Amino acid sequence: MQAATLVAPPQVSSNHQINPWHSAQRQFDEAVRYLSLPPGLADMLRETKRELIVKFPVVMDDGSIQMFTGYRVHHNAVRGPTKGGIRYDTNVSLDEMRALAMWMTWKCSLMNIPYGGAKGGVACNPRKLSPRELEKLTRRYATEISIMMSPLGDIPAPDMGTNPQIMAWIMDTYSMHVGYSVPAVVTGKPTQVGGSLGRREGTGRGVTYVVEETLRQQRMIPDETTVVVQGFGNVGSVAARTLQELGCRVIGVSDITGGIYNPRGIDPVDLLRYHHETGSVIDYMGLDTLTNAELLEQKCDVLVPAALENQITDRNADRLRCKIVAEGANGPTTPDADVILGERGILVVPDILCNAGGVTVSYFEWVQDLQSFFWTEAEINDRLRRIMVNAFNEVLNESQQRGVNLRTAAQILAISRVAEATMTRGIYP
Ligand code: NAD
């Protein structure tokens, strides 16, 4: 087979404005060099399949009408229905959705779960919306993207700025349109409406399963391991708690308001209580406040970026003082930073492996919804651990055999499975 022609990687000038879609395509180009794909196939996998942009009004609490822009992007549906979260954030853009959708395709493939990749979102600040406004925005957005969403076609889930309540509103809106309850149209729902036990914790717990394997492979002992976590939302707070349960000492945490650092340790359970009360982590126990940038540069063994993209760039990669970066967030490390970290011997456990616990338990939730038969939390965690450990070992093996870093190894495995599935199905018509 002839190797595919590659498009030149986009130039990245300032890491300040790094475009995540360009990063995702650069990572793809790096991995695809190791695969002999039929001509044209790489071009297909490098692009998205469908993109929807919606502009819609919401009547705000004061009676005014405000316009919002939302997106739903399907990257690839060859291995099954598309799957991917919904993000509410002011910086949501089409290119961000494209990148996140592509990463979802590789993540599902790497975990060997029968899904393709998608992502959606609304450019908004959810913290500035009242509960009523949030519900109206969600129901209108769900209606607008309902031409892209269905239980066997495209199944959303929570991401940054969204939560189980928002998933319940999406499920209810879709169900009202078709006239009967369709729990399997979205995952990450509350358990009262078809959610799965262990889903809320799935991503953070999965991060911990992967860190545990990484520490074992690096001959490091959890009891002697220090951890810094950026982002104290769904992923970061659960990762911090479960890493502490594993024996690690959490010494730094941040959220959008800033960070705190205590080399003697921070109790994530007590910090979560404080966070619920005050809405932020800063001033906890009178600790000094750091910026997010400063937090990332604190000395620790494992750094878990669990907030958003482009946090580790060529501007700060040479100042990181950790041994392992475990990517809880999607796309926290830019391709240029990857090179610097590799040269410095810092091991990066890539997002599509490290944070895949969320989509894995989302898959369990979908299976349970379709069967109307629910599993125990112990069954879920046990199956999750087996899938994550297996994927970790496959990636490690691929990386050692090819002499590439874990990200490229993970992408090689993921892309090759999607490529094989495409060729097996054939190109329609
Ligand atoms: P979340 O909204 O629950 O929490 C996000 C956290 O990041 C919050 O603590 C917030 O304060 C912080 N944050 C936001 N903007 C920030 C900024 N500019 N600087 C520093 N901190 C900031 O979101 P989440 O669901 O925990 O998602 C976090 C990351 O994990 C995202 O990259 C998401 O794509 C990824 N992820 C989430 C899931 C999931 O199941 N929720 C699964 C896989 C990956």
Side-chain angles (χ1 to χ4, degrees), residues 227-232 240 249-272 274-275 278 280-300 303:
V227 176
V228 165
V229 182
Q230 184 202 28
F232 201 60
R249 183 152 38 103
V250 177
I251 58 173
V253 176
S254 73
D255 61 19
I256 194 167
T257 59
I260 50 171
Y261 183 78
N262 183 0
R264 287 199 300 263
I266 295 165
D267 176 8
V269 177
D270 193 49
L271 180 62
L272 191 60
Y274 175 84
H275 187 270
T278 66
S280 100
V281 299
I282 56 173
D283 290 336
Y284 175 69
M285 305 257 292
L287 294 168
D288 288 343
T289 304
L290 307 176
T291 64
N292 264 281
E294 288 166 339
L295 184 96
L296 294 172
E297 294 172 18
Q298 299 303 309
K299 191 166 177 355
C300 62
L303 175 63

Side-chain angles (χ1 to χ4, degrees), residues 27-88:
Q27 292 166 352
F28 173 82
D29 293 343
E30 174 61 26
V32 105
R33 291 198 297 126
Y34 296 89
L35 298 170
S36 298
L37 300 184
L41 185 55
D43 299 337
M44 170 190 156
L45 299 179
R46 203 175 184 276
E47 295 299 337
T48 59
K49 175 182 170 69
R50 289 188 195 109
E51 300 177 342
L52 177 69
I53 303 178
V54 294
K55 295 184 186 258
F56 59 92
V58 175
V59 178
M60 309 303 279
D61 288 348
D62 65 3
S64 64
I65 298 170
Q66 197 172 318
M67 288 300 293
F68 291 89
T69 304
Y71 306 87
R72 186 73 187 165
V73 171
H74 295 174
H75 171 257
N76 188 287
V78 169
R79 297 182 76 255
T82 52
K83 188 89 188 80
I86 290 177
R87 177 172 291 194
Y88 287 177

Side-chain angles (χ1 to χ4, degrees), residues 44-45 76-80 115-116 417-418 420-423 425:
M44 170 190 156
L45 299 179
N76 188 287
V78 169
R79 297 182 76 255
Y115 284 143
R417 284 178 193 158
V418 180
E420 271 170 36
T422 310
M423 296 320 289
R425 281 179 65 154

Side-chain angles (χ1 to χ4, degrees), residues 87 100 107 119 158-161 199 203 230-236 254-256 292 306-309 311 328-330 355 358:
R87 177 172 291 194
L100 290 162
K107 195 181 298 183
K119 206 76 181 189
D159 190 72
M160 220 170 79
R199 170 61 188 92
T203 312
Q230 184 202 28
F232 201 60
N234 176 277
V235 180
S254 73
D255 61 19
I256 194 167
N292 264 281
L308 67 172
E309 301 96 69
Q311 296 305 293
N330 287 309
N355 70 35

